[in-house]
Amino acid sequence: MSTFTARFVNTMLDSLITSKTRIKLLVKFFVTSANTGHLRGLATEFNESTNAIRKELNHLSEAGYLDKKEVSNKIAYNANVKHPMFKLLQQVVHKYLGLDTIVDQILGRMGEVEVIELIGDYAKGVDSGIIEINIIGNDINTEYTDSIVPKIKEIVQRNVQFYYNQSLSQEGIVLYGG
């Protein structure tokens, strides 16, 4: 994906969805379907008021994008994987975060890559500004990844940290291979 295309996706999503809270919720729940959250926990995580979070959770639930169920006297929310737009929304979130760009850049000249895994905050759906990537493979060209970090950072407008040949994470999201 070109720098222009990545910026276009970011700008498009930001202009289509003017609520920053809604974008945070979409990232949280659609980066991976395993992520769940409840009102107060999300308010704390996003440093937002419970009213702002409640409003957006209600909109997304009423539209069918989120499922909700009662767990220990709290309402837990997660992505509705049966919604016809689930895969598309997940792809949009991945593009918004620049994950497809990162994978393309890594596969370009990295060596024998077996797995590319998203770990850390973004795997949990937290838009912290640092995308952590675990690359597993043989003869990985770490000089190349070091050289592309500034380019990726410019394209995805987030910091990127690479790790090499770590064990697969329980919370990680496999972006390639596996």
Coordinates of all heavy atoms in Angstrom, one line a residue, residues 77-136:
Y77 N -19.4 -6.5 26.1 CA -19.6 -6.3 24.7 C -18.4 -7.0 23.9 O -17.3 -7.1 24.4 CB -19.5 -4.8 24.3 CG -20.7 -4.1 25.0 CD1 -20.6 -3.6 26.3 CD2 -21.8 -3.8 24.2 CE1 -21.7 -2.9 26.8 CE2 -22.9 -3.1 24.8 CZ -22.8 -2.6 26.1 OH -23.8 -1.9 26.6
N78 N -18.8 -7.5 22.7 CA -17.8 -8.0 21.8 C -18.3 -7.9 20.3 O -19.5 -7.6 20.1 CB -17.4 -9.4 22.1 CG -18.5 -10.4 22.0 OD1 -19.5 -10.2 22.7 ND2 -18.4 -11.4 21.1
A79 N -17.4 -8.0 19.4 CA -17.8 -7.9 18.0 C -18.8 -9.0 17.6 O -18.6 -10.2 18.0 CB -16.6 -8.0 17.0
N80 N -19.8 -8.7 16.8 CA -20.8 -9.7 16.3 C -20.1 -10.3 15.1 O -20.3 -9.7 14.0 CB -22.1 -9.0 16.0 CG -23.1 -10.0 15.5 OD1 -22.8 -11.2 15.3 ND2 -24.3 -9.5 15.1
V81 N -19.5 -11.5 15.2 CA -18.8 -12.1 14.1 C -19.8 -12.6 13.0 O -19.4 -13.0 11.9 CB -17.9 -13.2 14.5 CG1 -16.8 -12.7 15.4 CG2 -18.6 -14.3 15.3
K82 N -21.1 -12.7 13.4 CA -22.1 -13.2 12.4 C -22.7 -12.1 11.6 O -23.5 -12.3 10.7 CB -23.2 -13.9 13.2 CG -22.7 -15.2 13.9 CD -23.8 -15.9 14.6 CE -23.3 -17.1 15.3 NZ -24.2 -17.7 16.2
H83 N -22.3 -10.8 11.9 CA -22.8 -9.7 11.2 C -22.3 -9.7 9.8 O -21.1 -10.0 9.6 CB -22.5 -8.4 11.9 CG -23.2 -7.2 11.3 ND1 -22.8 -6.6 10.1 CD2 -24.3 -6.5 11.8 CE1 -23.6 -5.6 9.9 NE2 -24.5 -5.5 10.8
P84 N -23.1 -9.5 8.7 CA -22.6 -9.6 7.4 C -21.4 -8.6 7.1 O -20.6 -8.9 6.2 CB -23.8 -9.2 6.5 CG -24.9 -8.9 7.4 CD -24.5 -9.2 8.8
M85 N -21.2 -7.6 7.8 CA -20.2 -6.6 7.6 C -18.9 -6.9 8.5 O -18.0 -6.1 8.5 CB -20.7 -5.2 7.9 CG -21.8 -4.8 7.0 SD -21.3 -4.0 5.5 CE -20.5 -2.6 6.1
F86 N -19.0 -7.9 9.3 CA -17.9 -8.2 10.3 C -16.5 -8.2 9.6 O -15.6 -7.5 9.9 CB -18.1 -9.5 11.1 CG -16.9 -9.8 11.9 CD1 -16.6 -9.1 13.0 CD2 -16.0 -10.8 11.4 CE1 -15.4 -9.5 13.8 CE2 -14.8 -11.1 12.2 CZ -14.6 -10.4 13.3
K87 N -16.3 -9.0 8.6 CA -15.0 -9.2 7.9 C -14.6 -7.9 7.3 O -13.4 -7.5 7.3 CB -15.1 -10.3 6.8 CG -15.0 -11.7 7.4 CD -13.6 -11.9 7.9 CE -13.5 -13.4 8.3 NZ -12.3 -13.6 9.2
L88 N -15.6 -7.2 6.6 CA -15.2 -5.9 6.0 C -14.8 -4.9 7.1 O -13.8 -4.2 6.9 CB -16.4 -5.3 5.2 CG -16.2 -4.0 4.5 CD1 -15.1 -4.1 3.5 CD2 -17.5 -3.6 3.9
L89 N -15.5 -4.8 8.2 CA -15.1 -3.9 9.2 C -13.7 -4.2 9.8 O -12.9 -3.3 10.1 CB -16.1 -3.8 10.4 CG -17.4 -3.0 10.1 CD1 -18.4 -3.2 11.2 CD2 -17.0 -1.5 10.1
Q90 N -13.5 -5.5 9.9 CA -12.2 -5.9 10.4 C -11.1 -5.5 9.4 O -10.0 -5.0 9.8 CB -12.2 -7.4 10.6 CG -11.0 -7.9 11.5 CD -11.1 -9.4 11.9 OE1 -11.4 -10.2 11.1 NE2 -10.9 -9.6 13.2
Q91 N -11.3 -5.7 8.1 CA -10.4 -5.3 7.1 C -10.1 -3.7 7.2 O -9.0 -3.3 7.0 CB -10.8 -5.7 5.7 CG -10.8 -7.2 5.5 CD -11.4 -7.6 4.2 OE1 -12.1 -6.8 3.6 NE2 -11.2 -8.8 3.8
V92 N -11.2 -3.0 7.3 CA -11.1 -1.5 7.4 C -10.2 -1.1 8.6 O -9.3 -0.3 8.5 CB -12.5 -0.8 7.5 CG1 -12.4 0.6 7.8 CG2 -13.2 -1.0 6.1
V93 N -10.5 -1.8 9.8 CA -9.7 -1.5 11.0 C -8.2 -1.8 10.8 O -7.3 -1.1 11.1 CB -10.3 -2.2 12.2 CG1 -9.3 -2.2 13.4 CG2 -11.6 -1.6 12.6
H94 N -8.0 -3.0 10.1 CA -6.6 -3.4 9.9 C -5.9 -2.4 8.9 O -4.7 -2.0 9.1 CB -6.5 -4.8 9.3 CG -6.7 -5.8 10.3 ND1 -6.3 -7.1 10.1 CD2 -7.3 -5.8 11.5 CE1 -6.6 -7.9 11.2 NE2 -7.2 -7.1 12.0
K95 N -6.6 -1.9 7.9 CA -6.1 -0.9 7.0 C -5.9 0.5 7.8 O -4.9 1.1 7.6 CB -7.0 -0.7 5.8 CG -6.9 -1.8 4.8 CD -7.6 -1.4 3.5 CE -7.6 -2.6 2.5 NZ -6.3 -3.1 2.2
Y96 N -6.8 0.8 8.6 CA -6.7 2.0 9.4 C -5.5 2.0 10.3 O -4.8 3.0 10.4 CB -8.0 2.2 10.3 CG -8.0 3.4 11.2 CD1 -8.1 4.7 10.8 CD2 -7.8 3.2 12.6 CE1 -8.1 5.7 11.6 CE2 -7.7 4.2 13.5 CZ -7.9 5.5 13.0 OH -7.9 6.6 13.9
L97 N -5.2 0.9 10.8 CA -4.0 0.8 11.7 C -2.7 0.6 10.8 O -1.6 0.7 11.4 CB -4.1 -0.4 12.6 CG -5.2 -0.3 13.7 CD1 -5.3 -1.6 14.5 CD2 -5.0 0.9 14.6
G98 N -2.8 0.3 9.6 CA -1.7 0.1 8.7 C -1.1 -1.3 8.8 O 0.0 -1.5 8.3
L99 N -1.8 -2.3 9.3 CA -1.3 -3.6 9.5 C -0.9 -4.3 8.1 O 0.1 -5.0 8.0 CB -2.2 -4.5 10.3 CG -2.6 -4.0 11.7 CD1 -3.5 -4.9 12.4 CD2 -1.3 -3.8 12.5
D100 N -1.8 -4.1 7.1 CA -1.5 -4.6 5.8 C -0.2 -4.0 5.2 O 0.6 -4.7 4.6 CB -2.7 -4.5 4.9 CG -3.1 -3.0 4.7 OD1 -2.9 -2.2 5.6 OD2 -3.7 -2.7 3.7
T101 N 0.0 -2.8 5.4 CA 1.2 -2.1 5.0 C 2.5 -2.7 5.6 O 3.5 -3.0 5.0 CB 1.2 -0.6 5.3 OG1 0.0 0.0 4.6 CG2 2.4 0.1 4.8
I102 N 2.4 -2.9 6.9 CA 3.5 -3.5 7.6 C 3.8 -4.9 7.1 O 5.0 -5.2 6.9 CB 3.2 -3.5 9.2 CG1 3.1 -2.1 9.7 CG2 4.3 -4.4 9.9 CD1 2.6 -2.0 11.1
V103 N 2.8 -5.7 6.9 CA 3.0 -7.1 6.4 C 3.7 -7.0 5.0 O 4.6 -7.7 4.7 CB 1.7 -7.9 6.4 CG1 1.9 -9.2 5.6 CG2 1.2 -8.2 7.8
D104 N 3.1 -6.2 4.1 CA 3.7 -6.0 2.8 C 5.2 -5.6 2.8 O 6.0 -6.2 2.1 CB 2.9 -5.0 2.0 CG 1.5 -5.5 1.6 OD1 1.2 -6.7 1.7 OD2 0.7 -4.7 1.2
Q105 N 5.5 -4.7 3.7 CA 6.9 -4.2 3.8 C 7.8 -5.3 4.3 O 8.9 -5.4 3.8 CB 6.9 -3.0 4.7 CG 6.3 -1.7 4.2 CD 7.0 -1.2 3.0 OE1 8.3 -1.2 2.9 NE2 6.3 -0.7 2.0
I106 N 7.3 -6.0 5.3 CA 8.2 -7.1 5.9 C 8.4 -8.2 4.8 O 9.5 -8.7 4.7 CB 7.5 -7.7 7.1 CG1 7.5 -6.7 8.3 CG2 8.2 -9.0 7.6 CD1 6.6 -7.0 9.4
L107 N 7.4 -8.6 4.2 CA 7.5 -9.7 3.2 C 8.3 -9.3 2.0 O 8.8 -10.2 1.3 CB 6.1 -10.2 2.8 CG 5.3 -10.9 3.9 CD1 3.9 -11.3 3.4 CD2 6.0 -12.1 4.4
G108 N 8.5 -8.0 1.8 CA 9.2 -7.6 0.6 C 10.6 -8.1 0.5 O 11.0 -8.7 -0.5
R109 N 11.4 -8.0 1.6 CA 12.8 -8.5 1.6 C 13.3 -9.0 2.9 O 14.4 -8.7 3.3 CB 13.7 -7.3 1.1 CG 13.4 -6.8 -0.3 CD 14.4 -5.8 -0.8 NE 15.0 -5.0 0.2 CZ 15.3 -3.7 0.0 NH1 15.0 -3.1 -1.1 NH2 15.9 -3.0 1.0
M110 N 12.5 -9.7 3.6 CA 12.8 -10.1 5.0 C 13.6 -11.4 5.1 O 14.1 -11.7 6.2 CB 11.6 -10.2 5.8 CG 11.1 -8.9 6.4 SD 12.4 -8.2 7.4 CE 12.5 -9.3 8.7
G111 N 13.6 -12.2 4.2 CA 14.1 -13.5 4.4 C 13.0 -14.5 4.4 O 11.9 -14.3 3.8
E112 N 13.2 -15.6 5.1 CA 12.2 -16.7 5.2 C 11.3 -16.5 6.4 O 11.4 -17.0 7.5 CB 12.9 -18.1 5.3 CG 13.8 -18.4 4.2 CD 14.6 -19.7 4.4 OE1 14.0 -20.6 5.0 OE2 15.7 -19.8 3.9
V113 N 10.3 -15.7 6.1 CA 9.3 -15.3 7.2 C 8.2 -16.4 7.3 O 7.6 -16.8 6.2 CB 8.6 -14.0 6.9 CG1 7.5 -13.7 7.9 CG2 9.7 -12.9 6.9
E114 N 8.0 -17.0 8.4 CA 7.0 -18.0 8.7 C 5.7 -17.4 9.2 O 4.6 -17.8 8.8 CB 7.5 -19.1 9.6 CG 8.7 -19.9 9.0 CD 9.4 -20.8 10.1 OE1 8.7 -21.1 11.1 OE2 10.5 -21.2 9.8
V115 N 5.9 -16.5 10.2 CA 4.7 -15.9 10.9 C 5.0 -14.4 11.2 O 6.1 -14.1 11.5 CB 4.5 -16.6 12.2 CG1 3.3 -15.9 13.0 CG2 4.2 -18.1 12.0
I116 N 4.0 -13.6 10.9 CA 4.0 -12.2 11.4 C 2.9 -12.1 12.3 O 1.7 -12.3 12.0 CB 3.9 -11.2 10.2 CG1 5.0 -11.4 9.2 CG2 3.8 -9.8 10.7 CD1 4.9 -10.6 7.9
E117 N 3.2 -11.6 13.6 CA 2.2 -11.6 14.6 C 2.1 -10.2 15.2 O 3.1 -9.6 15.6 CB 2.5 -12.6 15.7 CG 1.6 -12.6 16.9 CD 2.2 -13.5 18.0 OE1 3.4 -13.7 18.2 OE2 1.3 -14.1 18.7
L118 N 0.9 -9.7 15.4 CA 0.6 -8.5 16.1 C 0.5 -8.8 17.6 O -0.2 -9.7 18.0 CB -0.7 -7.8 15.6 CG -1.1 -6.6 16.3 CD1 -0.2 -5.4 16.0 CD2 -2.6 -6.2 15.9
I119 N 1.3 -8.1 18.4 CA 1.3 -8.4 19.8 C 1.1 -7.0 20.6 O 1.1 -6.0 19.9 CB 2.6 -9.1 20.3 CG1 3.9 -8.3 19.9 CG2 2.7 -10.5 19.7 CD1 5.2 -8.9 20.5
G120 N 1.1 -7.1 21.9 CA 1.0 -5.8 22.7 C -0.4 -5.2 22.7 O -1.4 -5.9 22.5
D121 N -0.4 -3.9 22.9 CA -1.6 -3.2 23.0 C -2.6 -3.3 21.9 O -3.8 -3.5 22.0 CB -1.3 -1.7 23.2 CG -0.8 -1.4 24.6 OD1 -0.9 -2.2 25.5 OD2 -0.2 -0.2 24.8
Y122 N -2.1 -3.2 20.6 CA -3.0 -3.3 19.5 C -3.6 -4.7 19.4 O -4.8 -4.8 18.9 CB -2.3 -2.9 18.2 CG -2.1 -1.4 18.1 CD1 -1.0 -0.8 18.5 CD2 -3.2 -0.7 17.5 CE1 -0.9 0.6 18.4 CE2 -3.1 0.7 17.4 CZ -2.0 1.3 17.9 OH -1.9 2.7 17.8
A123 N -3.0 -5.7 19.8 CA -3.6 -7.1 19.8 C -4.8 -7.1 20.8 O -5.7 -7.9 20.6 CB -2.6 -8.1 20.1
K124 N -4.7 -6.2 21.8 CA -5.8 -6.1 22.7 C -6.8 -5.1 22.3 O -7.8 -4.8 23.1 CB -5.2 -5.8 24.1 CG -4.3 -6.8 24.6 CD -3.6 -6.3 25.9 CE -2.4 -7.2 26.3 NZ -1.5 -6.6 27.2
G125 N -6.6 -4.4 21.2 CA -7.5 -3.4 20.7 C -7.3 -2.0 21.3 O -8.2 -1.2 21.3
V126 N -6.1 -1.8 21.9 CA -5.8 -0.5 22.5 C -4.9 0.3 21.5 O -3.8 -0.1 21.2 CB -5.1 -0.7 23.8 CG1 -4.7 0.7 24.4 CG2 -5.9 -1.5 24.8
D127 N -5.5 1.4 21.1 CA -4.7 2.3 20.1 C -3.7 3.2 20.9 O -4.0 4.3 21.1 CB -5.7 3.1 19.4 CG -5.1 3.8 18.2 OD1 -3.9 3.7 18.0 OD2 -5.9 4.4 17.4
S128 N -2.6 2.5 21.3 CA -1.6 3.2 22.1 C -0.6 4.0 21.4 O 0.1 4.8 22.0 CB -0.9 2.2 23.0 OG -0.1 1.3 22.2
G129 N -0.5 3.8 20.1 CA 0.4 4.5 19.3 C 1.7 3.7 19.0 O 2.5 4.2 18.2
I130 N 1.9 2.6 19.6 CA 3.1 1.7 19.3 C 2.6 0.4 18.9 O 2.0 -0.4 19.6 CB 3.9 1.6 20.6 CG1 4.4 2.9 21.0 CG2 5.1 0.6 20.2 CD1 5.2 2.9 22.3
I131 N 2.8 0.1 17.6 CA 2.4 -1.2 17.0 C 3.6 -2.2 17.2 O 4.7 -1.9 16.7 CB 2.1 -1.1 15.5 CG1 0.8 -0.2 15.4 CG2 1.8 -2.5 14.9 CD1 0.4 0.1 13.9
E132 N 3.4 -3.3 17.9 CA 4.4 -4.3 18.2 C 4.2 -5.5 17.3 O 3.1 -6.1 17.3 CB 4.4 -4.7 19.6 CG 4.8 -3.5 20.6 CD 4.6 -3.9 22.0 OE1 3.5 -3.8 22.5 OE2 5.7 -4.3 22.6
I133 N 5.2 -5.9 16.6 CA 5.2 -7.0 15.6 C 6.2 -8.0 15.9 O 7.4 -7.6 16.1 CB 5.4 -6.4 14.2 CG1 4.4 -5.4 13.8 CG2 5.5 -7.6 13.2 CD1 3.0 -5.9 13.6
N134 N 5.8 -9.2 16.0 CA 6.7 -10.4 16.2 C 6.9 -11.1 14.9 O 5.9 -11.5 14.3 CB 6.2 -11.3 17.3 CG 7.1 -12.5 17.6 OD1 8.3 -12.4 17.4 ND2 6.5 -13.6 18.0
I135 N 8.2 -11.2 14.4 CA 8.5 -11.9 13.2 C 9.2 -13.2 13.5 O 10.2 -13.2 14.1 CB 9.3 -11.0 12.3 CG1 8.6 -9.6 12.0 CG2 9.6 -11.7 10.9 CD1 9.5 -8.6 11.4
I136 N 8.6 -14.3 13.0 CA 9.2 -15.6 13.2 C 9.7 -16.1 11.9 O 8.9 -16.1 10.9 CB 8.2 -16.5 13.9 CG1 7.8 -16.0 15.2 CG2 8.8 -17.9 14.0 CD1 6.6 -16.7 15.9

